[in-house]
Structure formats: C-alpha cells, structure tokens
Amino acid sequence: MRACTFLRVPCVPPHALGCLQVVPTEYFSRYGHVTETHQYSVSEYHKAIPSDGSALPAIDIHYDVSPIVAVVNDSPPSLLHFLTRLCAVVGGVFAVTRMADRWVHWAFGGGGPGGRRIGAMSRLTA
C-alpha cells in the first residue's frame, strides 16, 4: 500500500499494450538438416491514464503471425559465385584507380592544349 505514497501522486495503474510478432522460419544447414522454428519480436508500451476515472486500467496484447516464411540457407556459395565476386572487386579497383589518376592529372593541369605535361610522357615528347 505504501508503494505509491512516496511519489505523492495518485496510485493509478497504467494502460499497457504489448505486441507479439511471430515469423515462421526454416533453417537449412549445410549438412542437410532442416529446422522449422519461429522468430519472435516483442514490443511493450505504457500509457498513463487520467486519474479522474474516465478510463480504466487495461492490458492489451496483440498477437500477429506473419504470412511470410523466412528461409535461411547456410550452404556455402559455389565456385562460380566466388569467381564472379572476385572479378567484380578487381574491376572496381581498376575503375577507382583510373578515376583517381584522371583527377590527379586534371588537378595538376596536364593533358590540355598548352597545358604542362608531368611524368614520363613530358620527357619523351619534349
């Protein structure tokens, strides 16, 4: 009874709202085992209700089952997938290097008509 007296406010239970979301999940391991399980998400909200008696304390629980099944596949990628990703990384490195080279070349004024040339090409053409 003394739990609310030290706050010096009327002891009114709050309105609580809980949301429980369930997602069915199928987990395929690399060894061929299939595990059917569920992923849960819980949210909890509290709202104070007025102490004038216009609302009653309540607990609302919303239970939501997702119609979508999450499928988790733990198999390693194929060799072709690995080679494709490796080519993409190497191509990206070349593209960024060429772009940076062009910016440096442009920043130091080389390459334009009447512009000064830098590097090995200036020695060969001079």
Side-chain angles (χ1 to χ4, degrees):
M1 298 294 175
R2 290 178 34 146
C4 293
T5 56
F6 71 96
L7 294 175
R8 297 183 191 258
V9 294
C11 186
V12 178
H15 178 87
L17 173 66
C19 297
L20 175 66
Q21 297 175 345
V22 180
V23 178
T25 304
E26 292 180 357
Y27 178 76
F28 294 95
S29 71
R30 63 178 62 187
Y31 305 111
H33 301 292
V34 179
T35 304
E36 293 183 6
T37 184
H38 296 86
Q39 295 180 13
Y40 299 97
S41 172
V42 179
S43 301
E44 184 178 345
Y45 304 100
H46 293 280
K47 182 173 76 170
I49 58 174
S51 60
D52 60 359
S54 62
L56 296 175
I59 297 176
D60 293 333
I61 298 174
H62 298 278
Y63 183 75
D64 184 23
V65 177
S66 177
I68 299 173
V69 176
V71 177
V72 179
N73 192 355
D74 192 26
S75 64
S78 66
L79 180 63
L80 182 63
H81 184 260
F82 171 74
L83 292 176
T84 303
R85 292 186 72 163
L86 181 66
C87 289
V89 169
V90 170
V93 167
F94 278 116
V96 170
T97 304
R98 184 173 181 193
M99 182 177 57
D101 180 55
R102 282 186 178 199
W103 286 350
V104 168
H105 198 256
W106 174 80
F108 290 108
R116 65 176 214 260
R117 297 180 183 265
I118 58 173
M121 290 300 292
S122 65
R123 282 181 257 139
L124 295 176
T125 57

